[in-house]
Every structure is written in C-alpha cells, then in structure tokens.
Amino acid sequence: MAFAERSGRGSDYQFGALALFFAMFTILTALGFQYIGGYVPCMLCLLERYAYYAGIPLLFIALVLTAGGHRRFASVLFFIVALAFLANTGLGVYHAGAEWKFWPGPTTCGGGESLTSSAGNLLNDIQHIKVIKCDEASLRFLGISFAGWNVVASAMLMAMSFAAAFAAWARSRTA
C-alpha cells in the first residue's frame, strides 16, 4: 500500500507539497546567491520572484485546505499558483532571451539595489552602486543563466501546481 493511501493524502496533497518545497528551495537559493554570494539581482530578477512570494503562502493554504477536506477550494488555489508560474515562465523566457541577445531587454532596467542611507551618505552610496543590466547574465551554470534556471523551475512548479489542482478537483467530485 502506498504512503499516500495509508496517510489518507492523495496525489493532490503530494503534488502540492512537492511544489511548496521546490518553490521554497528555489527562492531560498536565489536569496542565498544574492545575500551570501553577492549577486545583485536586476529589475527583471526581482519581478520574477513575485510568483514565489505569492505562490508559497498560497500553496501552504491550499495544502491546509486539502488536508481539511476542502479540495474544491484548494484546487482553485493550486490553479492560481499554476497560472502565476506560467506567467513567470514567460517572464523568464523573455529575460533569458534578452541575455542571449535574441531580443532587446527593457530600456528601464538598471539595477536591483536601492538607496537606503541618509542624505549625507548619498554621494558615497552612489559611487558604490553596481548597476546590473537585465540583458547581461551575471553567472551561467551548465550554460544556463539565473533567468534560464528560473524558466526551468517555474515550468516545473507550474506543472506540479496544475497536477495538484486537477487531482484536488477530481477528488472533490468523488468525495
């Protein structure tokens, strides 16, 4: 007998939990590269994080609803998360394409750091700002940039979230 059957949790819960943990791992990795590795994110990098910031709490709530037997509501939340990661996949493709010079990047992209000091230190801070362009990859691993890896992660999260949504919906109709 499978674990899901013994625990009373079906594939909706399993796919949702997998998506939650993978999303948390992905955003923590991005934050680690930023705060530990010193890689400053560009404007598009920061925009690509919104799906994670919204998706993680929604996935958690959907899992709680699933465990509580409210699968129809959970399926709606899983579906919303899947759509967020679908949009994020598209944004990542745009970003990675701009890095590979397939098309121009945004003209307004100039860096992810903001000034947070007092007016007295403003000139000193301006001299030390690293401008990060959206159309230049700061690092490539296995030939893929951060934006490219975000495409891979977002597509996987989209698939997991859609699978959880459809499984939750199917279980809600049989319960």
Side-chain angles (χ1 to χ4, degrees):
M1 183 181 278
F3 172 75
E5 293 172 18
R6 283 181 288 168
S7 67
R9 296 192 174 123
S11 59
D12 53 342
Y13 190 90
Q14 289 178 329
F15 282 123
L18 186 62
L20 175 62
F21 290 118
F22 188 66
M24 289 171 46
F25 172 79
T26 304
I27 195 63
L28 288 173
T29 300
L31 292 169
F33 272 103
Q34 178 181 350
Y35 291 107
I36 298 170
Y39 290 92
V40 179
C42 70
M43 177 195 71
L44 284 177
C45 292
L46 294 173
L47 286 174
E48 290 169 35
R49 293 181 183 183
Y50 289 162
Y52 296 93
Y53 297 149
I56 289 171
L58 288 177
L59 285 167
F60 179 78
I61 293 168
L63 286 173
V64 170
L65 290 171
T66 299
H70 303 284
R71 290 184 181 86
R72 194 165 291 193
F73 293 122
S75 69
V76 171
L77 290 181
F78 286 134
F79 191 77
I80 290 169
V81 171
L83 291 178
F85 282 108
L86 173 63
N88 208 44
T89 301
L91 183 59
V93 167
Y94 169 71
H95 189 182
E99 289 176 344
W100 284 103
K101 310 297 187 230
F102 292 151
W103 43 74
T107 57
T108 59
C109 194
E113 287 190 359
S114 61
L115 298 175
T116 57
S117 64
S118 65
N121 293 330
L122 184 61
L123 185 58
N124 187 37
D125 287 347
I126 289 173
Q127 292 173 341
H128 292 95
I129 290 178
K130 292 185 340 187
V131 176
I132 308 301
K133 293 185 174 185
C134 293
D135 60 354
E136 294 177 8
S138 57
L139 175 74
R140 292 192 191 276
F141 177 70
L142 299 176
I144 302 175
S145 67
F146 288 134
W149 284 112
N150 180 56
V151 171
V152 173
S154 292
M156 290 175 61
L157 285 162
M158 175 193 61
M160 289 180 229
S161 299
F162 273 134
F166 292 130
W169 184 259
R171 287 188 72 191
S172 74
R173 307 216 1 114
T174 59

